[in-house]
């Protein structure tokens, strides 16, 4: 099974990216947040991989940190949560935020993630509330515990993601400011990203 890809980023789509490794292009599914953090096309990348094999598909899911990969595996272990749904949950919040929300049982906050809803959020909390604490504990032991992001961190991540999609700095900054103003300080990165794209596509 493929566990890691180190190569050159060929292209990014809305849900995945193609990574060239010695002339072979691998299509890798990543979270919205992960895609936003990838470098520009043509730049080197190093992505952790989980390979999911089914009768009708052979898919690669990519992660930019150990904690993101561990959280993906926990999410995928929850009843009725498949790998794509797990990736969707990871698209809703930065890993430290998501771990904190699960550990604190913040159902209402989790339910705001696109495609989750209240019942799924309740199931996530019920099955993962105690388990996610191990991710944080292990990360502290390794000296790699993530730092909880601030609203300004979400803004800078959003600007970076929009720049990576080809928008110019002034456009990205304006879209980030408008999105932040519309959605407020508690908005998830995924919500800000969608709103930022909506702002840019609606024109001046």
């Amino acid at each position: 099974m493929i566990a890691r890809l180190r190569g050159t980023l060929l292209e990014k789509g809305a849900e995945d990216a193609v990574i060239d490794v010695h002339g072979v292009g691998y299509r890798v599914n990543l979270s919205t947040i992960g895609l936003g953090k990838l470098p520009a096309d043509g730049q080197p990348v190093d992505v952790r991989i989980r390979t999911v094999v089914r009768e009708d598909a052979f898919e690669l899911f990519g992660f930019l940190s150990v904690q993101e990969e561990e959280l993906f595996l926990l999410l995928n272990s929850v009843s009725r949560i498949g790998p794509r749904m797990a990736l969707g949950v990871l698209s809703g919040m930065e890993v430290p935020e998501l771990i904190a929300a699960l550990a604190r049982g913040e159902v209402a906050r989790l339910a705001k993630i696109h495609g989750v809803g209240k019942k799924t959020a309740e199931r996530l909390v019920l099955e993962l509330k105690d388990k996610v604490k191990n991710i944080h504990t292990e990360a502290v032991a390794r000296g790699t515990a993530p730092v909880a992001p601030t609203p300004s961190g979400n803004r800078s991540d959003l600007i970076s993601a929009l720049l990576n999609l080809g928008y110019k700095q002034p456009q990205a900054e304006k879209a980030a400011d408008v999105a932040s103003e519309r959605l407020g300080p508690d908005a998830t990165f995924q919500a800000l990203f969608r709103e930022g794209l909506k702002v840019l596509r609606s024109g001046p």
Side-chain angles (χ1 to χ4, degrees), residues 22 26 49 60 78-79 86-87 101 105 124 131 141-142 146 162 170 194:
H22 302 303
Y26 295 88
I49 297 292
L60 304 179
V78 175
S79 56
L87 207 62
L124 289 171
K131 293 180 180 178
R142 288 194 296 263
L162 296 174
R194 291 176 183 276

Side-chain angles (χ1 to χ4, degrees), residues 29-102:
N29 299 290
L30 293 101
S31 69
T32 303
I33 294 174
L35 283 166
K37 291 181 178 179
L38 289 177
D41 293 356
Q43 297 299 308
V45 288
D46 188 352
V47 180
R48 302 179 67 85
I49 297 292
R50 279 288 164 170
T51 306
V52 176
V53 180
R54 301 195 304 269
E55 289 184 5
D56 59 342
F58 181 98
E59 295 183 298
L60 304 179
F61 293 83
F63 314 95
L64 302 185
S65 71
V66 174
Q67 290 75 36
E68 186 183 20
E69 183 179 9
E70 291 175 348
L71 190 49
F72 170 82
L73 294 176
L74 282 180
L75 290 166
N76 198 28
S77 72
V78 175
S79 56
R80 297 195 290 280
I81 301 290
R84 288 196 171 274
M85 180 66 174
L87 207 62
V89 176
L90 286 170
S91 294
M93 295 183 198
E94 290 276 3
V95 170
E97 281 186 286
L98 187 52
I99 290 174
L102 288 166

Side-chain angles (χ1 to χ4, degrees), residues 124-137:
L124 289 171
V125 167
L126 177 65
E127 298 191 31
L128 300 183
K129 184 174 183 178
D130 295 324
K131 293 180 180 178
V132 293
K133 296 174 183 177
N134 293 329
I135 294 180
H136 183 69
T137 301

